[in-house]
Amino acid sequence: MKQEMMLIESQIELAPRIFELTLKGELVEQMETSGQFVHIRVPRSDLLLRRPISLAEVNHEESTCKVIYRVDGCGTRAISELVKGQEIDVLGPLGNGFTTDFVKEDDVIFVVGGGIGVPPLYELGKRLKDKKAKLVFLQGFGTKDAIFYEKEFSELGMLMIATDDGSYGYKGHTGHLIEKALKIYPNPTGVFACGPTGLLRAVEGAFSDHPHVYLSMEERMACGVGACYACVCQSKEDPTVNKKVCDEGPVFKSGEVII
Ligand code: FAD
Ligand code: FES
């Protein structure tokens, strides 16, 4: 982990309120696992808490990484106003990412994402593709306008998209896509997911006895490094035991924590 003023190489609005930020710096050397995140300092002196944002892509040759984020509140709005050539204070990489050791060539892997939970699944997908796995991306969005990286994901594997309002792809949510994908591939070797709580519960429910299901959790964070207990969730085995999403997660094995 390192704190660095990273150079902004580009800032692009991919879809309404969805931005792709490319950063350059030495910190990239330490970005080893997909599913990790960075803690970004908001460029406003009155906003003290950093914002946790997942790594969407890492390029070690060029010392760059990309994050994709949605402008929700004042912190992400301030970040979205930065432009190429400016610098931003980044702490990272943080957290434990996705476990992919078990994946072998030709294994069928489901990668399930919802809305702004989709970004970390791109770097994950690239790494699984390097392992020659057969990838099935199942993605849910509110509406057509919120979709991003459709071409990028399609280049890595099969992509099925659902929208809540039916404006693109299947009408419905990712639970429906899982049912459809299971008809084509009834026994995926692994399942990875990132998105809202309802999506994570649907994945956990659909693959309850599966040995390789990994879920990326989101909790409000303060320190981001395991020191303040702002981000705890409960262990499923013993609900009196707390797990810190920032440093024991954000990725947990299904059944490890209460979602
Ligand atoms: P404000 O409402 O002004 O934020 C106020 C406070 O609440 C801040 O401290 C903020 O960090 C916190 N907060 C608000 N919403 C969330 C949230 N959903 N999760 C955690 N903290 C929150 N969003 C993306 O768009 N892209 C990503 O790749 C992404 N990755 C994430 C990875 C992790 C591990 C976590 C925990 C969250 C991630 N988020 C991501 C959510 C993102 O951190 C929040 O949307 C963002 O912090 C909101 O800040 P704001 O200034 O827009 O909102
Ligand atoms: Fe401080 Fe997780 S955010 S312990």
mmCIF file of all heavy atoms in Angstrom, residues 39 220-232 244-247, ligand 2:
data_model
loop_
_atom_site.group_PDB
_atom_site.id
_atom_site.type_symbol
_atom_site.label_atom_id
_atom_site.label_comp_id
_atom_site.label_asym_id
_atom_site.label_seq_id
_atom_site.Cartn_x
_atom_site.Cartn_y
_atom_site.Cartn_z
ATOM 1 N N HIS A 39 -8.365 4.266 -2.499
ATOM 2 C CA HIS A 39 -9.097 5.221 -1.664
ATOM 3 C C HIS A 39 -8.673 6.607 -2.154
ATOM 4 O O HIS A 39 -7.521 7.018 -1.980
ATOM 5 C CB HIS A 39 -8.668 4.993 -0.208
ATOM 6 C CG HIS A 39 -9.793 5.059 0.764
ATOM 7 N ND1 HIS A 39 -11.116 4.999 0.406
ATOM 8 C CD2 HIS A 39 -9.806 5.188 2.120
ATOM 9 C CE1 HIS A 39 -11.866 5.077 1.473
ATOM 10 N NE2 HIS A 39 -11.102 5.198 2.530
ATOM 11 N N ARG A 220 -19.954 1.370 3.662
ATOM 12 C CA ARG A 220 -19.399 2.723 3.833
ATOM 13 C C ARG A 220 -18.094 2.627 4.596
ATOM 14 O O ARG A 220 -17.985 1.842 5.529
ATOM 15 C CB ARG A 220 -20.392 3.594 4.587
ATOM 16 C CG ARG A 220 -21.573 3.852 3.687
ATOM 17 C CD ARG A 220 -22.419 4.996 4.132
ATOM 18 N NE ARG A 220 -23.321 5.273 3.030
ATOM 19 C CZ ARG A 220 -23.607 6.478 2.576
ATOM 20 N NH1 ARG A 220 -23.055 7.527 3.130
ATOM 21 N NH2 ARG A 220 -24.423 6.641 1.565
ATOM 22 N N MET A 221 -17.111 3.361 4.143
ATOM 23 C CA MET A 221 -15.781 3.263 4.727
ATOM 24 C C MET A 221 -15.294 4.610 5.224
ATOM 25 O O MET A 221 -15.702 5.646 4.714
ATOM 26 C CB MET A 221 -14.791 2.727 3.696
ATOM 27 C CG MET A 221 -15.084 1.303 3.318
ATOM 28 S SD MET A 221 -13.865 0.656 2.189
ATOM 29 C CE MET A 221 -14.502 -1.016 2.035
ATOM 30 N N ALA A 222 -14.379 4.565 6.197
ATOM 31 C CA ALA A 222 -13.719 5.797 6.639
ATOM 32 C C ALA A 222 -12.227 5.662 6.349
ATOM 33 O O ALA A 222 -11.726 6.171 5.359
ATOM 34 C CB ALA A 222 -14.004 6.056 8.103
ATOM 35 N N CYS A 223 -11.500 4.880 7.201
ATOM 36 C CA CYS A 223 -10.042 4.807 7.012
ATOM 37 C C CYS A 223 -9.658 3.977 5.775
ATOM 38 O O CYS A 223 -8.690 4.279 5.101
ATOM 39 C CB CYS A 223 -9.373 4.236 8.270
ATOM 40 S SG CYS A 223 -9.663 2.475 8.508
ATOM 41 N N GLY A 224 -10.382 2.901 5.526
ATOM 42 C CA GLY A 224 -10.077 2.028 4.377
ATOM 43 C C GLY A 224 -8.937 1.065 4.616
ATOM 44 O O GLY A 224 -8.610 0.255 3.743
ATOM 45 N N VAL A 225 -8.333 1.120 5.806
ATOM 46 C CA VAL A 225 -7.144 0.276 6.047
ATOM 47 C C VAL A 225 -7.270 -0.586 7.310
ATOM 48 O O VAL A 225 -6.280 -1.026 7.877
ATOM 49 C CB VAL A 225 -5.850 1.132 6.134
ATOM 50 C CG1 VAL A 225 -5.535 1.783 4.803
ATOM 51 C CG2 VAL A 225 -5.956 2.199 7.224
ATOM 52 N N GLY A 226 -8.492 -0.788 7.773
ATOM 53 C CA GLY A 226 -8.680 -1.722 8.891
ATOM 54 C C GLY A 226 -8.549 -1.123 10.277
ATOM 55 O O GLY A 226 -8.525 -1.859 11.259
ATOM 56 N N ALA A 227 -8.497 0.200 10.391
ATOM 57 C CA ALA A 227 -8.220 0.808 11.695
ATOM 58 C C ALA A 227 -9.456 1.325 12.433
ATOM 59 O O ALA A 227 -9.423 1.482 13.646
ATOM 60 C CB ALA A 227 -7.226 1.955 11.516
ATOM 61 N N CYS A 228 -10.568 1.587 11.740
ATOM 62 C CA CYS A 228 -11.656 2.325 12.402
ATOM 63 C C CYS A 228 -12.943 1.518 12.613
ATOM 64 O O CYS A 228 -13.841 1.963 13.307
ATOM 65 C CB CYS A 228 -11.987 3.576 11.597
ATOM 66 S SG CYS A 228 -12.881 3.225 10.068
ATOM 67 N N TYR A 229 -13.079 0.365 12.022
ATOM 68 C CA TYR A 229 -14.273 -0.496 12.143
ATOM 69 C C TYR A 229 -15.554 0.147 11.578
ATOM 70 O O TYR A 229 -16.645 -0.205 11.969
ATOM 71 C CB TYR A 229 -14.492 -0.917 13.605
ATOM 72 C CG TYR A 229 -13.501 -1.978 14.047
ATOM 73 C CD1 TYR A 229 -12.222 -1.634 14.453
ATOM 74 C CD2 TYR A 229 -13.859 -3.334 14.020
ATOM 75 C CE1 TYR A 229 -11.303 -2.593 14.830
ATOM 76 C CE2 TYR A 229 -12.951 -4.304 14.395
ATOM 77 C CZ TYR A 229 -11.672 -3.933 14.805
ATOM 78 O OH TYR A 229 -10.771 -4.897 15.168
ATOM 79 N N ALA A 230 -15.405 1.105 10.669
ATOM 80 C CA ALA A 230 -16.601 1.725 10.073
ATOM 81 C C ALA A 230 -17.296 0.776 9.097
ATOM 82 O O ALA A 230 -18.472 0.944 8.810
ATOM 83 C CB ALA A 230 -16.205 3.001 9.328
ATOM 84 N N CYS A 231 -16.571 -0.194 8.604
ATOM 85 C CA CYS A 231 -17.051 -0.951 7.440
ATOM 86 C C CYS A 231 -17.416 -2.399 7.757
ATOM 87 O O CYS A 231 -17.420 -3.233 6.859
ATOM 88 C CB CYS A 231 -15.949 -0.954 6.383
ATOM 89 S SG CYS A 231 -14.482 -1.830 6.949
ATOM 90 N N VAL A 232 -17.702 -2.715 9.027
ATOM 91 C CA VAL A 232 -17.844 -4.136 9.375
ATOM 92 C C VAL A 232 -19.132 -4.769 8.858
ATOM 93 O O VAL A 232 -20.161 -4.108 8.707
ATOM 94 C CB VAL A 232 -17.755 -4.364 10.903
ATOM 95 C CG1 VAL A 232 -16.357 -4.111 11.408
ATOM 96 C CG2 VAL A 232 -18.793 -3.574 11.635
ATOM 97 N N LYS A 244 -14.067 -6.904 8.673
ATOM 98 C CA LYS A 244 -13.907 -5.578 8.076
ATOM 99 C C LYS A 244 -13.845 -5.708 6.550
ATOM 100 O O LYS A 244 -12.978 -6.398 6.019
ATOM 101 C CB LYS A 244 -12.624 -4.931 8.610
ATOM 102 C CG LYS A 244 -12.755 -4.519 10.074
ATOM 103 C CD LYS A 244 -11.468 -4.015 10.644
ATOM 104 C CE LYS A 244 -10.557 -5.143 11.026
ATOM 105 N NZ LYS A 244 -9.289 -4.747 11.612
ATOM 106 N N VAL A 245 -14.782 -5.043 5.899
ATOM 107 C CA VAL A 245 -14.846 -5.153 4.431
ATOM 108 C C VAL A 245 -13.586 -4.581 3.790
ATOM 109 O O VAL A 245 -13.097 -5.101 2.791
ATOM 110 C CB VAL A 245 -16.123 -4.466 3.889
ATOM 111 C CG1 VAL A 245 -16.109 -4.405 2.368
ATOM 112 C CG2 VAL A 245 -17.359 -5.206 4.370
ATOM 113 N N CYS A 246 -13.019 -3.530 4.405
ATOM 114 C CA CYS A 246 -11.881 -2.879 3.739
ATOM 115 C C CYS A 246 -10.627 -3.738 3.708
ATOM 116 O O CYS A 246 -9.908 -3.718 2.718
ATOM 117 C CB CYS A 246 -11.580 -1.522 4.357
ATOM 118 S SG CYS A 246 -10.940 -1.582 6.029
ATOM 119 N N ASP A 247 -10.347 -4.491 4.796
ATOM 120 C CA ASP A 247 -9.093 -5.247 4.710
ATOM 121 C C ASP A 247 -9.270 -6.761 4.759
ATOM 122 O O ASP A 247 -8.381 -7.489 4.348
ATOM 123 C CB ASP A 247 -8.038 -4.753 5.719
ATOM 124 C CG ASP A 247 -8.290 -5.187 7.129
ATOM 125 O OD1 ASP A 247 -9.430 -5.622 7.423
ATOM 126 O OD2 ASP A 247 -7.376 -5.101 7.932
HETATM 127 FE FE1 FES B 2 -11.857 1.704 8.688
HETATM 128 FE FE2 FES B 2 -12.693 -0.482 7.321
HETATM 129 S S1 FES B 2 -12.962 1.575 6.828
HETATM 130 S S2 FES B 2 -11.798 -0.404 9.284
#
